[in-house]
Amino acid sequence: MSMRRAVQWIFAISLVGIAFSGTLTYREVFGQTAAACPSPGAPGTIFGYPACVYGLFMYIVIAAISGLALLKGGRGADSPSS
């Protein structure tokens, strides 16, 4: 598997992760159960936010980094020199 193909897979998986954790984040933060959210420091939260919020940011960062790598093009070791 080439490096470019691996980065494409990482980018695709990060987009799926953004969709999944974004849905969970929306339900937890803005959904009907948002009024009943646990207080900061309660079990299931990290600094007062559900863990899915941090997952969403993690996937956004991974998508940005892998997207930038794909935009740079084949300037890496896998590209044929011309």
Side-chain angles (χ1 to χ4, degrees), residues 3-75:
M3 181 65 76
R4 182 163 178 80
R5 179 63 64 186
V7 173
Q8 288 172 341
W9 273 105
I10 291 169
F11 184 70
I13 290 170
S14 67
L15 291 180
V16 172
I18 287 172
F20 181 70
S21 60
T23 302
L24 291 176
T25 298
Y26 178 78
R27 288 183 182 175
E28 289 288 326
V29 176
F30 301 111
Q32 292 178 351
T33 60
C37 276
S39 62
T45 64
I46 303 170
F47 299 116
Y49 294 102
C52 56
V53 173
Y54 300 104
L56 176 63
F57 287 122
M58 177 196 66
Y59 280 118
I60 289 171
V61 168
I62 292 171
I65 292 170
S66 60
L68 286 173
L70 289 173
L71 284 177
K72 272 189 150 181
R75 295 184 190 145

